[in-house]
Amino acid sequence: MKIHIDGKYYDERTAKVSVFDHGLLYGDGIFEGIRAYNGRVFKLKEHIDRLFYSAKAILLKVPLSHAAMMKAVVDTCRANKIRDGYIRLMVTRGVGTLGLNPNRCKKPSVIIIADKIQLYPPSYYKKGLTIITVPTVRNLHSALNPAIKSLNYLNNILAKIEATNGGCEEAVMLNAEGYVSECTGDNIFIVKGKQLLTPPLSAGTLYGITREVVMDLAREAGLTIGEPNLTRYDLFNADECFLTGTGAELIPVVKIDGRPIGTGRPGRTTKRLVEQYHALTNRSGEPIYD
Ligand code: PMP
């Protein structure tokens, strides 16, 4: 594997960052998780847009232009002969001194790993996930806005630990007001009649790129989209529920906190959206090869 660090490629054993990188010392940095399908990088522009928005929010100067960053991702995929894969792009604050002050870090680092895809086992996509609400609430947007895709994922990791301790793969995270925000690495949707509903961004959710794509596909399919505040009650009484994320794609949820959702099996609308999503990922994206 060839890993891009600041414009050079290293193999897995020699790809290293300094112990003084504030990305490691303080989680001071940002990242994106991106997918390649069928020789194309899916929604690359949107991921790089979001990377730049995260950077702006934490006053991090990305050392490459938007165009150069897109090219670096495509080049790293090509160097690794990726056709279908998962790309982890990070920008760390860079090497500094002990102490929080980011101004001590003179040069942010860009790291790009283009690897094979790691999916949930196929059975989860067929049968659907059982998930639970966990005690750890999602970060307040007035404290650390979940819209910032930062290298500090402890809030999500704590929720993930609580989910796995409870025997589940995923956690529903509520915000401090008790409304549903999202899962640890995915956005959450419910279907109610002809409506597709997902929490608003103000509920403390990431501006998910898959979320955006799914809302467009649902509109095409004639569904009405809503972004109201949702409570656990709304989840329990949904006809269908599913999660979205670059890694997970669309995955049905069939039980939440012991309550079966709808029929207790993946729903028809979810299945149709999954098909539409795969059709789109197969035919669009930034070409890796000429
Ligand atoms: N929420 C969180 C907390 C995430 O980390 C992610 C990405 N893994 C998502 C939602 C889904 O976002 P996207 O569709 O852009 O991958």
Side-chain angles (χ1 to χ4, degrees), residues 168-214:
C168 291
E169 287 287 330
E170 250 305 352
V172 178
M173 298 184 78
L174 307 180
N175 62 23
E177 288 178 285
Y179 291 114
V180 176
S181 61
E182 60 180 345
C183 292
T184 67
D186 303 307
N187 291 108
I188 186 162
F189 282 85
I190 57 172
V191 178
K192 186 82 180 164
K194 286 265 166 220
Q195 280 191 304
L196 182 69
L197 305 174
T198 192
L201 301 169
S202 58
T205 63
L206 182 75
Y207 292 35
I209 286 161
T210 322
R211 176 185 185 274
E212 247 352 273
V213 171
V214 165

Side-chain angles (χ1 to χ4, degrees), residues 35-37 84-86 115-126 129 160 169 186 245-251 277-278 281:
R35 276 260 209 159
Y37 294 95
D84 294 274
Y86 186 79
D115 202 354
K116 299 283 165 295
I117 338 163
Q118 277 192 341
L119 287 174
Y120 279 126
S123 63
Y124 290 148
Y125 289 86
K126 225 184 278 160
L129 285 179
K160 187 81 168 183
E169 287 287 330
D186 303 307
T246 299
E249 304 176 307
L250 272 76
I251 187 155
Y277 188 73
H278 287 313
T281 56

Side-chain angles (χ1 to χ4, degrees), residues 52-197:
F52 274 81
Y53 294 140
S54 294
K56 179 106 185 234
I58 68 161
L59 288 150
L60 173 67
K61 191 164 169 10
V62 179
L64 297 178
S65 68
H66 190 288
M69 191 60 92
M70 282 184 58
K71 184 172 180 311
V73 170
V74 170
D75 287 350
T76 308
C77 288
R78 199 181 310 114
N80 286 284
K81 301 189 172 57
I82 295 283
R83 285 197 67 78
D84 294 274
Y86 186 79
I87 301 127
R88 171 55 47 105
L89 165 58
M90 284 158 270
V91 185
T92 72
R93 187 72 71 178
V95 173
T97 51
L98 294 180
L100 294 180
N101 191 352
N103 298 329
R104 295 270 163 76
C105 307
K106 294 300 171 215
K107 205 169 125 305
S109 267
V110 175
I111 302 169
I112 308 171
I113 307 169
D115 202 354
K116 299 283 165 295
I117 338 163
Q118 277 192 341
L119 287 174
Y120 279 126
S123 63
Y124 290 148
Y125 289 86
K126 225 184 278 160
K127 289 199 220 132
L129 285 179
T130 294
I131 62 177
I132 48 171
T133 313
V134 294
T136 295
V137 299
R138 192 75 180 101
N139 282 332
L140 288 174
H141 58 71
S142 53
L144 175 55
N145 197 324
I148 302 169
K149 212 165 158 55
S150 89
L151 290 180
N152 191 325
Y153 250 49
L154 268 181
N155 181 227
N156 314 54
I157 291 165
L158 289 175
K160 187 81 168 183
I161 290 168
E162 288 158 357
T164 52
N165 282 350
C168 291
E169 287 287 330
E170 250 305 352
V172 178
M173 298 184 78
L174 307 180
N175 62 23
E177 288 178 285
Y179 291 114
V180 176
S181 61
E182 60 180 345
C183 292
T184 67
D186 303 307
N187 291 108
I188 186 162
F189 282 85
I190 57 172
V191 178
K192 186 82 180 164
K194 286 265 166 220
Q195 280 191 304
L196 182 69
L197 305 174

